Amino acid sequence: MTFFKDMSFKSFSIKWVISSVLLGGVLSLFYFRGFLKYYNLSSMFIDFPIEDIKLIFIYTLIAALIFIAFAVIIKLTVKYIPSVKSKKNNPIIFPLVLGLIFTSLVLLNELNINYPVRKVFGLYPVLPALLMSFLLIMMKKTLQTLPIIILAMLISITWANHIGEFNASHKENYLILKENKQVYAVLSNYNDSFIIAPVNLQTKFIEPKFQIIDSNTDKLRKDMPDMSLNYKNTGELKVRPPITVD
């Protein structure tokens, strides 16, 4: 008994691209939740910046097309190279090679290694979206496969959350606000505002004392005449745990 459907490559490719892009948008909710969690910020501050959502859709589309291109190359290799075509186990070559590529991308991301398409596969929850959409399309919907699909959904959600937290912990470029001797890092956007916190650029620590300020620079300059706002390569910043009272 097989858990997977028989489907033409063309039909699968179209469905996979569309569902991956849609799932990328859904999983972005959990990505931003993990991103804010690193700074000890509540998920109530999830904002869904238009630019980020646009990039998630674009990168997921590009990633799906890259995998489809690899799939086409593998199919042609199996079809036209006699030494490969004659092998009895050639049906497993296709999923095996794609699985190895997928696993390699996951490992490269986790090791924070730069590679040519790192932005596409590592910046947002693209890989979990590709995996989840693959299973939703290809797996037969039966009582036997239902636990697998539910488990895959939970893994994808947890994975997207982890990617957000991981990317926040390795972020090196921040918008830095300086007012007199006080330095703040802009952690995130919220509606038309910035969420900022004091930062020590020598010790690389962010203090958990958050403020919400207007993101309009003209208004900021009126309220804080001595203010300067610039992007800076700060290196990775750590967050001090919030102060608790027993």
Side-chain angles (χ1 to χ4, degrees), residues 37-52:
K37 182 183 175 185
Y38 177 74
Y39 299 111
N40 298 312
L41 286 166
S42 167
S43 55
M44 68 176 284
F45 292 111
I46 293 175
D47 186 40
F48 295 110
I50 296 299
E51 191 60 34
D52 285 292

PDB file of all heavy atoms in Angstrom, residues 37-52:
ATOM      1  N   LYS A  37       9.787  36.652  19.818  1.00  0.00           N
ATOM      2  CA  LYS A  37      10.065  35.899  21.053  1.00  0.00           C
ATOM      3  C   LYS A  37      11.524  36.066  21.478  1.00  0.00           C
ATOM      4  O   LYS A  37      11.834  36.117  22.676  1.00  0.00           O
ATOM      5  CB  LYS A  37       9.746  34.415  20.828  1.00  0.00           C
ATOM      6  CG  LYS A  37       9.953  33.546  22.058  1.00  0.00           C
ATOM      7  CD  LYS A  37       9.686  32.080  21.721  1.00  0.00           C
ATOM      8  CE  LYS A  37      10.011  31.186  22.900  1.00  0.00           C
ATOM      9  NZ  LYS A  37       9.868  29.748  22.542  1.00  0.00           N
ATOM     10  N   TYR A  38      12.430  36.139  20.508  1.00  0.00           N
ATOM     11  CA  TYR A  38      13.846  36.296  20.838  1.00  0.00           C
ATOM     12  C   TYR A  38      14.082  37.555  21.657  1.00  0.00           C
ATOM     13  O   TYR A  38      14.935  37.580  22.543  1.00  0.00           O
ATOM     14  CB  TYR A  38      14.687  36.344  19.560  1.00  0.00           C
ATOM     15  CG  TYR A  38      16.158  36.580  19.834  1.00  0.00           C
ATOM     16  CD1 TYR A  38      16.947  35.554  20.351  1.00  0.00           C
ATOM     17  CD2 TYR A  38      16.746  37.825  19.603  1.00  0.00           C
ATOM     18  CE1 TYR A  38      18.294  35.772  20.633  1.00  0.00           C
ATOM     19  CE2 TYR A  38      18.087  38.047  19.878  1.00  0.00           C
ATOM     20  CZ  TYR A  38      18.851  37.016  20.387  1.00  0.00           C
ATOM     21  OH  TYR A  38      20.176  37.233  20.680  1.00  0.00           O
ATOM     22  N   TYR A  39      13.316  38.615  21.369  1.00  0.00           N
ATOM     23  CA  TYR A  39      13.484  39.887  22.084  1.00  0.00           C
ATOM     24  C   TYR A  39      12.585  39.990  23.318  1.00  0.00           C
ATOM     25  O   TYR A  39      12.465  41.060  23.908  1.00  0.00           O
ATOM     26  CB  TYR A  39      13.168  41.053  21.138  1.00  0.00           C
ATOM     27  CG  TYR A  39      14.069  41.114  19.926  1.00  0.00           C
ATOM     28  CD1 TYR A  39      13.570  40.831  18.661  1.00  0.00           C
ATOM     29  CD2 TYR A  39      15.416  41.437  20.043  1.00  0.00           C
ATOM     30  CE1 TYR A  39      14.391  40.879  17.540  1.00  0.00           C
ATOM     31  CE2 TYR A  39      16.242  41.476  18.929  1.00  0.00           C
ATOM     32  CZ  TYR A  39      15.720  41.201  17.686  1.00  0.00           C
ATOM     33  OH  TYR A  39      16.548  41.246  16.582  1.00  0.00           O
ATOM     34  N   ASN A  40      11.946  38.855  23.687  1.00  0.00           N
ATOM     35  CA  ASN A  40      10.994  38.829  24.816  1.00  0.00           C
ATOM     36  C   ASN A  40       9.788  39.738  24.567  1.00  0.00           C
ATOM     37  O   ASN A  40       9.230  40.322  25.500  1.00  0.00           O
ATOM     38  CB  ASN A  40      11.683  39.244  26.132  1.00  0.00           C
ATOM     39  CG  ASN A  40      12.801  38.299  26.518  1.00  0.00           C
ATOM     40  OD1 ASN A  40      12.626  37.091  26.508  1.00  0.00           O
ATOM     41  ND2 ASN A  40      13.966  38.850  26.829  1.00  0.00           N
ATOM     42  N   LEU A  41       9.398  39.846  23.300  1.00  0.00           N
ATOM     43  CA  LEU A  41       8.229  40.642  22.933  1.00  0.00           C
ATOM     44  C   LEU A  41       7.030  39.729  22.695  1.00  0.00           C
ATOM     45  O   LEU A  41       7.177  38.628  22.150  1.00  0.00           O
ATOM     46  CB  LEU A  41       8.500  41.457  21.669  1.00  0.00           C
ATOM     47  CG  LEU A  41       9.424  42.665  21.834  1.00  0.00           C
ATOM     48  CD1 LEU A  41       9.875  43.174  20.471  1.00  0.00           C
ATOM     49  CD2 LEU A  41       8.723  43.778  22.604  1.00  0.00           C
ATOM     50  N   SER A  42       5.867  40.181  23.084  1.00  0.00           N
ATOM     51  CA  SER A  42       4.636  39.408  22.935  1.00  0.00           C
ATOM     52  C   SER A  42       4.240  39.289  21.466  1.00  0.00           C
ATOM     53  O   SER A  42       4.517  40.180  20.647  1.00  0.00           O
ATOM     54  CB  SER A  42       3.509  40.078  23.726  1.00  0.00           C
ATOM     55  OG  SER A  42       2.262  39.532  23.368  1.00  0.00           O
ATOM     56  N   SER A  43       3.543  38.197  21.148  1.00  0.00           N
ATOM     57  CA  SER A  43       3.066  37.992  19.776  1.00  0.00           C
ATOM     58  C   SER A  43       1.980  39.001  19.397  1.00  0.00           C
ATOM     59  O   SER A  43       1.609  39.097  18.226  1.00  0.00           O
ATOM     60  CB  SER A  43       2.539  36.568  19.595  1.00  0.00           C
ATOM     61  OG  SER A  43       1.542  36.279  20.550  1.00  0.00           O
ATOM     62  N   MET A  44       1.473  39.749  20.376  1.00  0.00           N
ATOM     63  CA  MET A  44       0.484  40.784  20.055  1.00  0.00           C
ATOM     64  C   MET A  44       1.091  41.893  19.183  1.00  0.00           C
ATOM     65  O   MET A  44       0.375  42.674  18.565  1.00  0.00           O
ATOM     66  CB  MET A  44      -0.088  41.400  21.342  1.00  0.00           C
ATOM     67  CG  MET A  44       0.911  42.217  22.150  1.00  0.00           C
ATOM     68  SD  MET A  44       0.186  43.013  23.581  1.00  0.00           S
ATOM     69  CE  MET A  44      -0.702  44.369  22.815  1.00  0.00           C
ATOM     70  N   PHE A  45       2.430  41.957  19.143  1.00  0.00           N
ATOM     71  CA  PHE A  45       3.103  42.985  18.347  1.00  0.00           C
ATOM     72  C   PHE A  45       3.425  42.522  16.925  1.00  0.00           C
ATOM     73  O   PHE A  45       4.136  43.213  16.195  1.00  0.00           O
ATOM     74  CB  PHE A  45       4.385  43.439  19.047  1.00  0.00           C
ATOM     75  CG  PHE A  45       4.146  44.185  20.327  1.00  0.00           C
ATOM     76  CD1 PHE A  45       4.492  43.625  21.545  1.00  0.00           C
ATOM     77  CD2 PHE A  45       3.559  45.440  20.317  1.00  0.00           C
ATOM     78  CE1 PHE A  45       4.270  44.311  22.736  1.00  0.00           C
ATOM     79  CE2 PHE A  45       3.325  46.132  21.495  1.00  0.00           C
ATOM     80  CZ  PHE A  45       3.679  45.566  22.708  1.00  0.00           C
ATOM     81  N   ILE A  46       2.918  41.331  16.533  1.00  0.00           N
ATOM     82  CA  ILE A  46       3.106  40.883  15.148  1.00  0.00           C
ATOM     83  C   ILE A  46       2.413  41.874  14.213  1.00  0.00           C
ATOM     84  O   ILE A  46       1.244  42.214  14.403  1.00  0.00           O
ATOM     85  CB  ILE A  46       2.529  39.470  14.946  1.00  0.00           C
ATOM     86  CG1 ILE A  46       3.355  38.447  15.739  1.00  0.00           C
ATOM     87  CG2 ILE A  46       2.520  39.100  13.467  1.00  0.00           C
ATOM     88  CD1 ILE A  46       2.788  37.041  15.708  1.00  0.00           C
ATOM     89  N   ASP A  47       3.140  42.317  13.209  1.00  0.00           N
ATOM     90  CA  ASP A  47       2.645  43.410  12.382  1.00  0.00           C
ATOM     91  C   ASP A  47       2.407  43.038  10.917  1.00  0.00           C
ATOM     92  O   ASP A  47       1.631  43.673  10.241  1.00  0.00           O
ATOM     93  CB  ASP A  47       3.647  44.590  12.442  1.00  0.00           C
ATOM     94  CG  ASP A  47       3.135  45.817  11.721  1.00  0.00           C
ATOM     95  OD1 ASP A  47       1.944  46.111  11.832  1.00  0.00           O
ATOM     96  OD2 ASP A  47       3.924  46.471  11.029  1.00  0.00           O
ATOM     97  N   PHE A  48       3.063  41.991  10.420  1.00  0.00           N
ATOM     98  CA  PHE A  48       3.007  41.619   9.012  1.00  0.00           C
ATOM     99  C   PHE A  48       3.388  42.766   8.094  1.00  0.00           C
ATOM    100  O   PHE A  48       2.555  43.273   7.340  1.00  0.00           O
ATOM    101  CB  PHE A  48       1.607  41.113   8.632  1.00  0.00           C
ATOM    102  CG  PHE A  48       1.223  39.843   9.312  1.00  0.00           C
ATOM    103  CD1 PHE A  48       0.235  39.836  10.280  1.00  0.00           C
ATOM    104  CD2 PHE A  48       1.846  38.645   9.000  1.00  0.00           C
ATOM    105  CE1 PHE A  48      -0.115  38.669  10.928  1.00  0.00           C
ATOM    106  CE2 PHE A  48       1.498  37.470   9.640  1.00  0.00           C
ATOM    107  CZ  PHE A  48       0.509  37.486  10.603  1.00  0.00           C
ATOM    108  N   PRO A  49       4.653  43.203   8.144  1.00  0.00           N
ATOM    109  CA  PRO A  49       5.078  44.279   7.230  1.00  0.00           C
ATOM    110  C   PRO A  49       4.866  43.865   5.772  1.00  0.00           C
ATOM    111  O   PRO A  49       5.181  42.743   5.387  1.00  0.00           O
ATOM    112  CB  PRO A  49       6.578  44.431   7.546  1.00  0.00           C
ATOM    113  CG  PRO A  49       6.776  43.775   8.871  1.00  0.00           C
ATOM    114  CD  PRO A  49       5.754  42.701   8.967  1.00  0.00           C
ATOM    115  N   ILE A  50       4.323  44.776   4.969  1.00  0.00           N
ATOM    116  CA  ILE A  50       4.008  44.482   3.570  1.00  0.00           C
ATOM    117  C   ILE A  50       5.243  44.016   2.814  1.00  0.00           C
ATOM    118  O   ILE A  50       5.188  43.071   2.024  1.00  0.00           O
ATOM    119  CB  ILE A  50       3.419  45.731   2.877  1.00  0.00           C
ATOM    120  CG1 ILE A  50       2.077  46.125   3.517  1.00  0.00           C
ATOM    121  CG2 ILE A  50       3.215  45.466   1.383  1.00  0.00           C
ATOM    122  CD1 ILE A  50       0.995  45.082   3.423  1.00  0.00           C
ATOM    123  N   GLU A  51       6.390  44.661   3.085  1.00  0.00           N
ATOM    124  CA  GLU A  51       7.628  44.304   2.377  1.00  0.00           C
ATOM    125  C   GLU A  51       8.047  42.875   2.686  1.00  0.00           C
ATOM    126  O   GLU A  51       8.466  42.125   1.787  1.00  0.00           O
ATOM    127  CB  GLU A  51       8.751  45.282   2.765  1.00  0.00           C
ATOM    128  CG  GLU A  51       9.995  45.189   1.908  1.00  0.00           C
ATOM    129  CD  GLU A  51       9.741  45.466   0.434  1.00  0.00           C
ATOM    130  OE1 GLU A  51       8.865  46.298   0.127  1.00  0.00           O
ATOM    131  OE2 GLU A  51      10.418  44.835  -0.405  1.00  0.00           O
ATOM    132  N   ASP A  52       7.929  42.475   3.956  1.00  0.00           N
ATOM    133  CA  ASP A  52       8.295  41.107   4.347  1.00  0.00           C
ATOM    134  C   ASP A  52       7.353  40.076   3.727  1.00  0.00           C
ATOM    135  O   ASP A  52       7.798  39.027   3.257  1.00  0.00           O
ATOM    136  CB  ASP A  52       8.283  40.973   5.870  1.00  0.00           C
ATOM    137  CG  ASP A  52       9.485  41.624   6.520  1.00  0.00           C
ATOM    138  OD1 ASP A  52      10.595  41.120   6.345  1.00  0.00           O
ATOM    139  OD2 ASP A  52       9.324  42.643   7.201  1.00  0.00           O
TER     140      ASP A  52
END
